[in-house]
């Protein structure tokens, strides 16, 4: 490897790639950040909300300048069945400054710009076709006719990731239960309308998750996030579910937008964007091999996504894993050793950080979610049914105690035994 | 070893065009790109210098927003770029654009060929190329879909309404190009990265030798709206009814 | 006193512009000068249809039309017309732009509508953003130049006013020579002048189905045109039959749109059709917003039925 070679090539300028490039550039390494979209962020999508702790660690000096949308101060979870909805809401001024809604074109562009400002070279509109491999070691990339050698490559390509396979990293077969499709529409609404409608102050926002009718009982759910002057509305559905019930996300979206719990929230909003993206949801179970000779894998490409229903995390893992990948390579460069044994320190760092700690901790969540269809079908029905009856006073229906209503609502849908079991399992997995 | 100049325009992307209330067009959030036919001009310059040697200077005019265009243009072949950049030029019309570009071109000691797209993707006025030629006192050969250098001459085929007009002209000339002239290549990694290292020269209105009065557009835009549709929008239920409508219309 | 100049190398277009200029000059007293390029008979015809005077610019053989720019701008500099209308052929657009540059004047390209106020100020409309928008613009200076497409104005009635034709020789520009001309093979019918046009889009499933489309067109007495992808990508119909912002502009009495979605670029080419009838299998296709009569149906079944129905109705 000549001295002209780049130190690191980072593939993908999403949060993982940009974070890695930024940390590497700050340490004075020669790094190229290659993005296939015309600009960082254009090919990325999120619901979405960012838990900002990782951003603060990454950019301690200027994270306040990051283009975040609204600070989330209202969290809602809605269970829908038919046209009925039961919503649980948590609103608190005590919510710390930790959670913001984001728009990826703005956020990713800012992150990539930070990396460039620190000295990383950003090449947009370029697709990496292949890893260059010599004697089993990754020594660079090929983009079209151009080959670029480097001491190491960080693959941060995202969910639909093909490069690690080329380096013979063990990548499991894509299990349709572990991958979801997210579909999202963005509606334009003036900021003051959003604030009135969602009862938030300027700069503050709401995050709402929906379960049940929105996915017609399949594993997955709907989401709504308030941005500065737009609303992000969408659905996530496992690919397995889609195939099994032969549903079209577009049809589900249309029904979701028209649902009485949703329609008033987006009323008058003009749809300005419609997109879809893959989301890896298997957690540690689907984590591929992320270390090889001269190669590290970070972000969604490494399966670092956690969907607990009430919390969906991917971007914070992405930024942190990008940072750790960079730190690993900085140490490797000092020793001039980019071999697998040295690079395995990446895993050590991940394990010591919240990334693998949290993913490991919640490792039963994906299975629980995938194996508990009652969460998406029966329970929303039970809840809406029971509460609707509880709140109905019409003078003719014979009065019943809450316990009776509960039992009647459960009848034919779930046994008490199942409810208890699900509660226990869920409480321990989520 | 020809010295080639390529003029390009940094236009709003019409794909991001939105229609607001009352039919007003909204391009507030639109991204920008190099106008389509100008890419053909850049590609032709690259092809010419690959074959004959020489240099390519890209030139563009506009407000501060054109700074972002430099890397894109430089990744497509030019050796350097001149940006005629000034806030007063943000709303330039064809008249002021041609004035500014011609002034920028005059800062170069010599040139053989100036290539432009035959019209821009946004306004499509098809004026700047011929205007520049008139101001620089050189011939203009427009609507060219085939170009061959022949010593100190150029032979161009112009695609016109009734057919092709083959024109031979002495350099230097301005040529405006059609999209079927060539197929622009997508910049590869090396070109994208190389672009960051190439020189960029910025000339403001003063450096171009203009005062405000000279750069005032001669056309004012009163409104830009989505095209109106006054159609009746009736629906028929079957082909028979449709046929009736067609026949009635003809009688 | 208004001075209107009209300029074209095509006789028909020169007459259309002369007629409109005459109308404007009669409303607000003024003179109409018709400038013919190359062809003297155009100058004669203009004098017989409303022009007060005519100029005939003679170019040497094998000189491109644009070589007349300097001469024309000098003539205009002397005469100081307020309004100048060029017929917007490709060459004339180039010529007009060069003249505008020599005079430091603005030029409105391919104006689709023209309004002249009482004080002589002109306002015009033109299509922008590839068909996505219509821009209304006005001149800020005294010299108002425009190019206007052929067939925008109607042919004028006979109206003899002037008699003299002033001949002006355009000096040869030795730097430029036309060395050859290759006429375009006319493979398709000239749809620009047809009163009925049937347009097809990508909704036509196979090239063989064009026969059915041609039958419909024959029954309606019309010509067949298409959208750009059908001509350029699929190459099912000749290039000169594609209707759109960068293709032919048509204004027939009847436009039947078959299996085309109605993209803005196509609409820009046929917006002036008197009656638009559309068939498309997608009820959300934009064409239905731009049609007077619409039917949601698949072409595979609709076309044969349409042929039958038209036959029954005596076509």
């Amino acid at each position: 490897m000549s001295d002209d070679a780049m130190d690191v090539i980072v593939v993908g300028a999403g949060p993982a790639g940009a974070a890695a490039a930024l940390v590497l550039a700050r340490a004075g390494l020669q790094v190229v950040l290659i993005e296939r979209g015309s600009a960082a962020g254009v090919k990325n999508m999120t619901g979405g909300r960012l838990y900002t702790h990782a951003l603060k660690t990454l950019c301690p000096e200027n994270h306040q300048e990051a283009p975040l949308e609204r600070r989330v101060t209202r969290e809602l979870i809605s269970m829908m069945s038919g046209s009925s909805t039961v919503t649980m809401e948590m609103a608190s001024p005590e919510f710390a400054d930790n959670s913001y809604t984001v728009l990826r074109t703005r956020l990713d562009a800012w992150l990539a710009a930070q990396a460039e400002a620190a000295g990383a070279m950003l090449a947009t509109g370029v697709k990496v076709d292949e890893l260059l491999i010599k004697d089993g070691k990754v020594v660079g990339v090929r983009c079209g006719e151009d080959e670029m050698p480097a001491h190491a490559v960080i693959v941060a390509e995202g969910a639909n990731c093909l490069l690690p396979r080329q380096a013979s990293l063990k990548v499991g077969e894509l299990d349709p239960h572990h991958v979801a499709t997210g579909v999202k529409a963005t509606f334009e609404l003036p900021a003051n309308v959003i604030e009135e409608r969602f009862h938030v102050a300027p700069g503050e926002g709401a995050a709402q998750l929906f379960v049940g009718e929105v996915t017609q009982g399949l594993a997955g759910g709907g989401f709504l996030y308030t941005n500065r002057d737009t609303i992000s509305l969408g659905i996530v559905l496992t690919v397995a579910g889609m195939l099994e019930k032969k549903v079209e996300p577009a049809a589900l979206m249309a029904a979701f937008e028209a649902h009485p719990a949703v329609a008033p929230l987006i009323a008058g909003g003009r749809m300005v964007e419609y997109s879809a993206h893959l989301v890896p949801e298997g957690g540690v179970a689907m984590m591929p091999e992320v270390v090889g000779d001269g190669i590290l894998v970070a972000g969604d490409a490494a399966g670092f996504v956690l969907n607990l229903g009430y919390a969906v995390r991917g971007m914070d893992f992405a930024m942190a894993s990008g940072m750790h990948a960079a730190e690993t390579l900085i140490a490797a460069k000092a020793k001039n050793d980019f071999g697998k044994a040295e690079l395995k320190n990446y895993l050590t760092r991940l394990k010591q950080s919240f990334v693998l700690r949290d993913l490991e901790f919640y490792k039963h969540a994906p299975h629980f979610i995938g194996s508990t269809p009652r969460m998406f079908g029966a329970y929303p029905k039970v809840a809406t049914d029971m509460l609707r009856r509880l709140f109905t006073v019409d003078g003719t229906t014979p009065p019943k105690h809450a316990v009776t209503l509960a039992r009647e609502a459960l009848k034919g849908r779930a046994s008490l035994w199942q409810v208890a079991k699900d509660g226990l399992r869920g409480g321990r997995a989520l | 070893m020809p010295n080639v100049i390529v003029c390009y325009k940094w236009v709003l992307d019409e794909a991001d065009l939105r229609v607001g209330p009352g039919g007003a067009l909204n391009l507030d959030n639109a991204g920008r790109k190099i106008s389509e036919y100008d890419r053909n001009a850049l590609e032709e310059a690259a092809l010419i210098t690959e074959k004959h040697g020489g240099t390519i200077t890209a030139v563009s005019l506009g407000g501060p927003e054109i700074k972002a265009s430099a890397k894109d243009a430089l990744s497509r072949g030019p050796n350097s770029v001149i940006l005629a950049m000034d806030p007063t030029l943000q709303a330039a019309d064809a008249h002021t654009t041609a004035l500014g570009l011609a002034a920028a071109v005059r800062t170069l000691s010599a040139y053989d060929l100036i290539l432009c797209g035959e019209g821009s993707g946004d306004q499509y006025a098809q004026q700047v190329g011929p205007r520049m030629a008139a101001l620089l006192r050189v011939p203009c050969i427009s609507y060219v879909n085939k170009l061959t250098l022949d010593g100190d001459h150029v032979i161009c085929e112009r695609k016109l309404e009734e057919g092709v007009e083959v024109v031979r002209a002495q350099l230097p000339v301005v040529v405006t190009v059609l999209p079927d002239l060539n197929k622009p290549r997508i910049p590869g990694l090396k070109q994208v990265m190389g672009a960051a290292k190439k020189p960029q020269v910025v000339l403001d209105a003063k450096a171009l030798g203009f005062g405000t009065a000279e750069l005032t557009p001669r056309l004012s835009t009163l409104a830009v709206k989505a095209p109106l549709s006054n159609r009746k929008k009736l629906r028929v239920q079957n082909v028979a009814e449709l046929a009736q409508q067609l026949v009635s219309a003809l009688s | 006193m208004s001075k209107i100049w009209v300029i074209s190398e095509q006789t028909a277009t020169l007459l259309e512009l002369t007629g409109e200029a005459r109308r404007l000059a009669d409303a607000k007293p003024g003179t109409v000068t018709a400038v013919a390029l190359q062809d003297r008979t155009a100058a004669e015809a203009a004098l017989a249809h409303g022009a007060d005077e005519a100029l005939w610019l003679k170019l040497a053989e094998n000189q491109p039309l644009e070589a007349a720019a300097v001469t024309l701008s000098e003539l205009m500099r002397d005469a100081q017309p307020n309004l100048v209308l060029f017929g917007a052929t490709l060459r004339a657009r180039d010529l007009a732009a060069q003249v505008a540059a020599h005079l430091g004047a603005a030029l409105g390209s391919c104006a689709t509508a023209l309004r002249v106020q009482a004080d002589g100020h002109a306002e015009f409309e033109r299509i922008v953003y590839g068909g996505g928008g219509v821009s209304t613009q006005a001149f800020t200076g005294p010299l108002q130049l425009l190019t206007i497409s052929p067939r925008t104005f109607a042919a004028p009635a006979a109206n003899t006013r002037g008699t003299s034709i002033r001949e002006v020789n355009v000096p040869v520009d030795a730097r430029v020579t036309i060395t050859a001309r290759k006429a375009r093979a006319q493979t398709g019918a000239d749809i620009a002048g047809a009163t009925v046009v049937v347009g097809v889009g990508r909704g036509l499933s196979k090239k063989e189905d064009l026969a059915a489309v041609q039958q419909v067109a024959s029954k309606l007495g019309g010509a067949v045109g298409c959208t750009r992808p059908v001509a350029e990508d699929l190459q099912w119909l000749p290039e000169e039959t594609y209707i759109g912002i960068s293709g032919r502009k048509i204004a027939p009495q009847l436009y039947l749109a078959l299996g085309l979605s109605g993209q803005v670029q196509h609409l820009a080419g046929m917006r002036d059709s008197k009656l638009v009838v559309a068939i498309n299998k997608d009820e959300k296709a934009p064409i239905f917003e731009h049609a007077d009569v619409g039917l949601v149906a698949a072409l595979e079944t609709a076309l044969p039925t349409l042929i039958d129905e038209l036959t029954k109705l005596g076509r």
Side-chain angles (χ1 to χ4, degrees), chain C residues 42-274:
Chain C
E44 290 162 2
L47 288 172
H49 289 81
D52 296 297
E53 56 169 17
L55 290 169
W56 171 38
L57 266 57
K58 294 162 63 182
L59 289 104
E61 219 189 305
N62 296 330
Q63 283 278 283
L65 196 79
E66 293 85 350
V70 174
T71 307
L72 192 48
S73 57
E74 282 165 1
L75 290 166
M76 283 170 54
R77 197 174 283 123
D78 290 337
Q80 292 286 305
N82 330 95
L83 185 65
V84 181
L85 309 178
F86 289 80
T89 57
L90 291 169
R91 290 182 176 90
R93 295 180 209 179
D94 182 334
L95 173 65
Q98 293 198 43
V99 167
H102 285 302
L103 297 171
L107 169 66
S109 295
C110 295
T112 49
L114 172 64
R115 287 181 288 276
V116 182
Q117 324 282 19
D119 61 0
H121 277 115
E123 214 178 83
F124 61 95
E125 285 178 10
R126 58 185 307 273
I127 295 178
V128 293
Y129 297 119
V134 174
S135 175
T136 308
Q137 299 182 295
F139 294 86
T140 61
L143 197 41
Q144 308 177 111
L145 274 56
L146 292 137
T147 62
I148 299 189
S149 291
R151 282 180 293 271
T152 303
F153 301 123
N159 181 358
T160 305
R161 298 192 48 124
T163 47
S164 71
I165 298 178
R166 188 176 141 206
E167 288 184 23
V168 181
N169 283 310
V170 174
V172 169
D173 183 348
R175 303 170 300 181
V176 197
T177 321
I178 299 174
T179 57
R181 289 181 184 83
K182 308 182 206 173
R184 187 215 298 264
Q186 267 284 88
T187 39
D190 181 19
I191 59 167
T195 41
V196 177
V197 177
V198 178
V200 290
R202 280 179 171 261
L204 198 69
S205 41
K206 47 194 195 303
K207 189 171 178 185
E208 292 68 38
D209 292 344
L210 275 176
V213 173
Q214 191 54 65
Q215 260 193 292
V216 170
S218 303
K219 287 187 176 291
L220 297 173
V224 175
C226 62
T227 58
R228 186 174 176 168
V230 172
E232 300 230 313
D233 302 336
L234 298 171
Q235 297 185 351
W236 285 355
L237 282 169
E239 217 193 306
E240 64 264 17
T241 60
Y242 90 72
I243 300 152
I245 187 116
S246 51
R248 310 309 293 276
K249 312 270 188 326
I250 60 170
Q253 293 296 317
L254 171 63
Y255 183 64
L256 175 59
L258 299 176
L260 58 88
S261 59
Q263 299 301 312
V264 290
Q265 300 88 331
H266 178 72
L267 296 174
M270 41 62 68
R271 328 166 36 208
D272 295 329
S273 307
K274 298 289 177 302

Side-chain angles (χ1 to χ4, degrees), chain C residues 6-21:
Chain C
V6 293
I7 306 171
S8 183
E9 77 279 22
Q10 288 182 335
T11 306
T13 310
L14 187 60
L15 292 184
E16 290 160 14
L17 297 175
T18 303
E20 177 63 11

Side-chain angles (χ1 to χ4, degrees), chain B residues 206-251:
Chain B
K206 199 157 150 237
L208 291 167
F210 293 115
T212 327
E214 292 143 296
L215 295 179
T216 312
R218 301 291 156 100
L219 280 178
S220 66
T221 300
L222 305 173
V224 185
K225 294 199 168 163
L228 276 178
S229 167
N230 295 323
R231 298 289 171 188
K232 298 201 204 83
K233 303 183 218 179
L234 300 166
R235 292 292 179 100
V236 290
Q237 301 308 309
N238 53 52
V239 178
E241 283 179 46
L242 190 110
Q244 289 276 14
Q245 295 273 349
L246 289 170
V247 172
S248 315
L250 293 174
S251 47

Side-chain angles (χ1 to χ4, degrees), chain B residues 61-250:
Chain B
L61 179 144
E65 73 284 353
I66 67 170
K67 190 76 176 69
S69 74
K71 267 175 82 176
D72 191 342
L74 290 169
S75 71
R76 293 171 190 274
N79 302 89
S80 64
V81 66
I82 299 178
L83 299 175
M85 197 168 89
D86 197 285
T88 55
L89 293 170
Q90 199 164 37
D93 61 2
H95 162 77
T96 39
T97 302
L99 268 185
L101 289 175
V105 163
R106 285 194 200 99
T107 64
L108 298 168
S109 50
Y111 55 88
D112 297 295
L113 195 54
I114 301 179
L115 298 175
C116 306
E118 61 110 7
S120 66
D122 53 353
Q123 301 300 314
Y124 201 60
Q126 299 170 296
Q127 291 183 32
V128 170
R131 279 184 180 264
M132 281 181 74
L135 293 171
L136 294 167
R137 304 280 192 265
V138 299
C140 178
I141 313 176
S142 46
Y143 316 112
V144 171
N145 70 354
K146 189 159 174 220
L147 188 158
T148 318
L149 276 187
D150 178 26
D152 62 352
H153 280 72
V154 67
I155 300 168
C156 294
E157 292 194 8
R158 306 176 68 192
K159 185 169 158 194
L160 302 168
E161 291 94 332
E162 77 284 359
V164 169
E165 190 177 82
V166 184
V167 175
R168 186 164 186 271
Q170 181 160 42
L171 303 176
V173 297
V174 170
V175 173
T176 76
V177 306
L178 291 174
D180 35 327
L181 175 65
N182 57 44
K183 193 162 153 66
R185 291 163 282 183
I186 297 174
L189 177 65
K190 294 253 164 71
Q191 291 165 295
V192 171
M193 297 197 33
K197 304 188 186 103
K198 294 178 183 172
Q200 299 180 18
V201 173
V202 177
L203 300 170
D204 63 8
K206 199 157 150 237
L208 291 167
F210 293 115
T212 327
E214 292 143 296
L215 295 179
T216 312
R218 301 291 156 100
L219 280 178
S220 66
T221 300
L222 305 173
V224 185
K225 294 199 168 163
L228 276 178
S229 167
N230 295 323
R231 298 289 171 188
K232 298 201 204 83
K233 303 183 218 179
L234 300 166
R235 292 292 179 100
V236 290
Q237 301 308 309
N238 53 52
V239 178
E241 283 179 46
L242 190 110
Q244 289 276 14
Q245 295 273 349
L246 289 170
V247 172
S248 315
L250 293 174

